[in-house]
Amino acid sequence: MSTRTGKQTIVLGSPPVVIGGAAIVGKKEGDGPLARFFDQIIDDEYFGEKSFEKAESRLLRDTLVKTLEKCGKSASNVHFIISGDLQNQCTAASYAFRDVQVPFLGIYGACSTMAESLAIGAVLIDAGAAEMTACITSSHFCSAEKQFRYPLEFGSQRTPTAQWTVTGAGCILLEKQGNGPGITHLTCGTVIDMGIKDANNMGGAMAPAACDTILRHLEDTGRSLDYYDLVLTGDLGSFGRSMLVKLLRDNGVDPGDRYNDCGCMIFDLERQDVVCGGSGCGCSAAVLSTYVLELMNQRKLNKVLFVATGALLSPTWIQQGDSIPSIAHAVSLENTP
Amino acid sequence: MTDIVKAFITGGIICVIAQLLTDYTGITPARIMVLFVVTGVVLGILGIYPAIVEFGGAGATIPLTGFGNTLAKGVIKAVNETGLAGVLTGGVKAASAGISSAITFGYIMAIVSKPKLK
Amino acid sequence: MSKKITPHEYRHLVEKTMPSSRVLRNVLAAFVTGGLICAVAQVFFMGLKSMGVDEETAFMLTTVIMIFLGAVLTGLNIYDKIGKFGGAGASIPVTGFSNSIVSPAMEYKREGYVMGVGAKMFLIAGPVLVYGIFASVVAGLIYYVWTQVM
C-alpha cells in the first residue's frame, strides 16, 4: 500500500521493481558518450517511415518490443502502457500502441514525462491494480523542431542557451516482484513559473522546478542529498544545471559531484554542437533505462534520485507573450541491500 | 573589380547590422526580416536607399532592404504614371519577379527534395 | 519554491549568468557570408549588363538568379548550414528569403500539396510580404498626397 509522507511525497509500501529497460536512439545520440549502453542506434532519421512523426511512433513501438524481449516477457503480461511524447495531443504514443491490445494511458509532462510515467506505473502496481506496467517515452529532434521551432532546412543560428532535442525512446518495465532496483519514493512536483519567457532557455525555466521538488523530497523524507549515490535531473542542460546548483546552494544544499544531468550526459557538449545539451522526453528516458539501470544492476550505484524536468510550454502560449511553466517529479530508485 | 568589392562591403555591413540586432536584442529571424523590408521601403521612399544602391550595386539590392526599396521605387513610379491607382499596383508589380520566382522555385524544390537531419 | 528567491530576482539572476552570444564571431561570419552572397550577385549583375541588359532588368534578373540559387541550396540540404554559420549574413540576402519559403514547403510536404506545401510555404516569408507590401501602399499614399500638395 502506498502512503503519503510530508507534503508531496508518496512512500511505496512494497516497492515495484524495475525488471528491465531498453532504449533506441538516433545517430547523433549514438555518437555520444553513452553510445555503448543503447540497445539500438538508428542511422536514418526517418527510421524507414514516411514522416518524422511516424518515425517517432516506430521508435516507441520498437523500444517496447525490445524491452519485452530483453525481459523475456510478452505484451500480454503488461497490464498498462503509460506513455507520452512531445507531439501535439501526444500522438506518437497513441499511434504507436494502436495495435497493441494493452490498456493505454497517454500522458504529457514535456521532458518530465518519464518520471510521471514511472510514478503512475509504480502506484498502480503498489495499489494492486496491475502486476506489470510499461513506462515508455520518446522524442524526435525533427518532429520537435517542426512543432516548436523552425523547419529543418531553415538556416538559423541557435541561441547560447538552446538545447538539442534527443531522438530516441526509453522504456522501463515495472513488476510487482522480481530482480532489480525498486521504486521506493515518489515526489510529484507542483507547476512552477518564475517568469522566464525565452523558449530557447528551457534549462533556465526548469531549474527552479527541479530545485523545489528536490528540496521538497528531502524535507518530506528527512533525507539529505548524501543519502543518494546519484542525483540525476532530466534535461536542464549545462546552463540549467548551473542554475540549479546555484539555487540549491542558496538553500543550504550542496549537490557536490553526486549530481548530474541527462542532457549533459547524452551528448559531448564540446564536440557535438548541441549548445547546452540534450532535451526531450526521450533524453532522460534513454539515459535512465540503459546507463543508470545497468550501473544499478552492477551495484555501482545503489541509490538514485531521478528528477525529470519539463517545460510545459506551447508555441501558441509563447506567441501570446506568456512565460514558461515548469515541473519536476522525483523518483527514488534503490537496490535492496 | 572595385564594384564587386563595393557590393561585398555594402552587403556585409547590412548583414552585420541585422546580426548585431539579433545578438543584442534576441529578436527572431522572422521579425528581423520584416523589420529590414519595412526599413527598405522607408529609406526608398525618402530617396536615401537609391544612393546606397548607386554605391553598392547588388550589395544593396540583394539584402531584404533592397526588396523594400524595390517596392518603394515601384510605387513611386506607378503613382507618377497613373496617380492614385498606382498606390495599390506599384509595389507588387515591381516585386512580382521576385515573388513569382520564389513561389515557383520553392514549389519545385519541395516536390523534388525532402528535409534531412545532418 | 525555495522561499529565498522571487521570480523577479530569479529572472535577474538568469539574465546575469546566461552565456552570451559570441558577438564578434557572429558579426564577422555575418559580414563574410552576406558580403560573399552580394559579391556573387554583383558578378551576375555585371555579366548581365555586359550582355547589353539594361540596369533595371539586370537588377531584377540578378534577384531572380539569387532566389533560384537559394532554393536549390535549400533543396540540397546545404542552406541551413550556411545559415548556421552566417546567421543574419545568410537570412538577410534574398537567398535567405528564398530559404524561408523553400524550407517550410519541404517540411510540410507530408501534409499534402494544398494545406501542406501551399499553405505553409509562407510560414516565415508571409509576414515579410504582408509588411513589405503594406508599407509600400502607405508610402505610396503619402507620396501621392505629397505630389498633389506640392
Side-chain angles (χ1 to χ4, degrees):
Chain A
M1 263 303 280
S2 302
T3 50
R4 284 180 73 85
T5 178
K7 213 174 146 215
Q8 283 161 231
T9 301
I10 300 166
V11 186
L12 295 131
S14 32
V17 179
V18 178
I19 59 163
I24 301 178
V25 298
K27 195 178 176 184
K28 199 179 181 81
E29 294 70 20
D31 188 33
L34 302 182
R36 69 184 179 87
F37 294 96
F38 301 130
D39 296 270
Q40 194 181 342
I41 292 158
I42 306 296
D43 281 340
D44 165 27
E45 63 271 25
Y46 285 93
F47 205 173
E49 302 286 332
K50 281 188 172 156
S51 71
F52 300 135
E53 289 77 12
K54 288 185 169 65
E56 188 176 351
S57 254
R58 181 149 172 224
L59 270 176
L60 281 166
R61 200 164 49 237
D62 284 18
T63 304
L64 177 67
V65 170
K66 185 131 281 179
T67 314
L68 290 169
E69 230 173 70
K70 272 173 87 175
C71 298
K73 306 282 180 189
S74 80
S76 58
N77 299 129
V78 179
H79 288 171
F80 287 98
I81 293 172
I82 305 138
S83 180
D85 57 272
L86 290 179
Q87 284 180 27
N88 281 335
Q89 289 82 35
C90 138
T91 34
S94 316
Y95 280 80
F97 304 117
R98 59 180 161 182
D99 297 325
V100 185
Q101 301 298 315
V102 176
F104 168 77
L105 298 173
I107 56 171
Y108 186 83
C111 312
S112 75
T113 310
M114 192 58 187
E116 187 176 351
S117 161
L118 287 170
I120 297 170
V123 168
L124 281 171
I125 290 176
D126 198 34
E131 291 284 323
M132 187 190 290
T133 55
C135 307
I136 174 167
T137 64
S138 73
S139 50
H140 191 303
F141 176 79
C142 304
S143 65
E145 285 292 303
K146 182 173 173 182
Q147 182 173 311
F148 289 97
R149 281 177 279 270
Y150 292 107
L152 216 49
E153 300 298 337
F154 182 61
S156 68
Q157 281 172 334
R158 292 180 166 264
T159 58
T161 51
Q163 288 173 254
W164 185 279
T165 307
V166 163
T167 302
C171 176
I172 276 184
L173 271 192
L174 294 178
E175 201 178 3
K176 204 178 173 79
Q177 273 150 356
N179 290 324
I183 295 182
T184 59
H185 293 75
L186 302 164
T187 306
C188 293
T190 55
V191 179
I192 287 187
D193 190 337
M194 295 295 261
I196 301 291
K197 291 188 174 180
D198 181 2
N200 287 310
N201 187 7
M202 295 194 295
M206 296 187 294
C211 176
D212 189 63
T213 300
I214 291 171
L215 293 177
R216 175 56 57 201
H217 176 79
L218 299 180
E219 198 182 315
D220 287 353
T221 56
R223 290 173 174 175
S224 79
L225 269 194
D226 305 342
Y227 179 85
Y228 292 101
D229 305 323
L230 174 68
V231 177
L232 190 64
T233 48
D235 40 23
L236 295 178
S238 55
F239 176 64
R241 177 180 140 158
S242 70
M243 289 309 290
L244 174 61
V245 171
K246 226 173 239 131
L247 291 172
L248 285 172
R249 286 200 180 129
D250 283 351
N251 284 277
V253 176
D254 189 357
D257 54 9
R258 70 174 57 76
Y259 166 56
N260 214 335
D261 179 77
C262 298
C264 299
M265 293 159 72
I266 198 164
F267 293 123
D268 183 337
L269 268 53
E270 298 292 318
R271 184 174 56 86
Q272 289 193 287
D273 194 26
V274 291
V275 199
C276 277
S279 67
C281 314
C283 177
S284 59
V287 174
L288 183 74
S289 62
T290 57
Y291 169 78
V292 174
L293 191 57
E294 194 169 319
L295 263 60
M296 287 196 85
N297 284 332
Q298 293 169 0
R299 300 212 163 233
K300 285 180 182 154
L301 293 171
N302 286 309
K303 294 169 182 142
V304 173
L305 187 66
F306 173 65
V307 188
T309 49
L312 305 172
L313 74 161
S314 82
T316 306
W317 280 80
I318 293 300
Q319 277 168 10
Q320 289 177 6
D322 220 306
S323 52
I324 304 170
S326 301
I327 191 127
H329 303 301
V331 177
S332 172
L333 295 139
E334 298 178 57
N335 277 331
T336 43
Chain B
M1 192 61 206
T2 47
D3 283 350
I4 298 173
V5 174
K6 279 179 178 174
F8 186 99
I9 292 170
T10 311
I13 288 174
I14 293 171
C15 294
V16 164
I17 296 169
Q19 187 68 42
L20 285 170
L21 277 170
T22 311
D23 283 351
Y24 282 114
T25 65
I27 188 171
T28 59
R31 281 170 193 247
I32 211 119
M33 287 164 87
V34 167
L35 184 70
F36 268 57
V37 166
V38 174
T39 306
V41 173
V42 173
L43 293 178
I45 208 88
L46 293 174
I48 298 167
Y49 209 84
I52 303 175
V53 175
E54 188 70 33
F55 173 81
T61 59
I62 290 301
L64 281 171
T65 38
F67 186 67
N69 178 56
T70 303
L71 288 164
K73 216 169 69 183
V75 88
I76 291 173
K77 187 166 168 250
V79 168
N80 287 341
E81 283 168 4
T82 59
L84 193 55
V87 170
L88 289 173
T89 59
V92 180
K93 202 184 276 174
S96 59
I99 298 170
S100 301
S101 57
I103 290 174
T104 310
F105 301 143
Y107 193 83
I108 293 168
M109 290 319 297
I111 290 173
V112 300
S113 57
K114 67 180 188 175
K116 274 202 190 81
L117 179 64
K118 262 71 46 169
Chain C
M1 179 58 218
S2 33
K3 299 92 210 162
K4 282 182 183 165
I5 196 161
T6 65
H8 180 76
E9 286 166 353
Y10 182 70
R11 282 200 299 276
H12 202 73
L13 185 66
V14 166
E15 265 156 44
K16 219 175 60 191
T17 48
M18 229 169 89
S20 47
S21 299
R22 292 177 297 162
V23 178
L24 187 65
R25 180 255 167 229
N26 288 352
V27 162
L28 281 174
F31 183 74
V32 173
T33 310
L36 269 179
I37 292 171
C38 293
V40 169
Q42 182 70 23
V43 172
F44 282 120
F45 172 71
M46 285 155 62
L48 286 164
K49 262 179 68 175
S50 72
M51 285 157 63
V53 181
D54 71 277
E55 183 158 309
E56 198 165 325
T57 315
F59 271 133
M60 187 268 278
L61 287 176
T62 305
T63 303
V64 170
I65 291 169
M66 296 312 283
I67 286 174
F68 175 74
L69 288 179
V72 170
L73 288 173
T74 305
L76 294 174
N77 316 100
I78 294 171
Y79 206 85
D80 64 317
K81 284 181 207 143
I82 302 175
K84 209 171 137 249
F85 171 79
S91 62
I92 289 299
V94 80
T95 42
F97 177 71
S98 176
N99 169 252
S100 79
I101 288 177
V102 181
S103 58
M106 284 165 67
E107 184 98 356
Y108 288 92
K109 185 162 60 165
R110 281 298 304 158
E111 283 75 25
Y113 285 95
V114 175
M115 291 316 287
V117 176
K120 302 285 189 178
M121 194 179 246
F122 290 98
L123 202 63
I124 303 153
V128 175
L129 291 180
V130 169
Y131 285 96
I133 291 169
F134 183 67
S136 83
V137 171
V138 173
L141 204 56
I142 294 169
Y143 178 72
Y144 174 76
V145 172
W146 186 72
T147 54
Q148 297 302 304
V149 176
M150 297 311 279

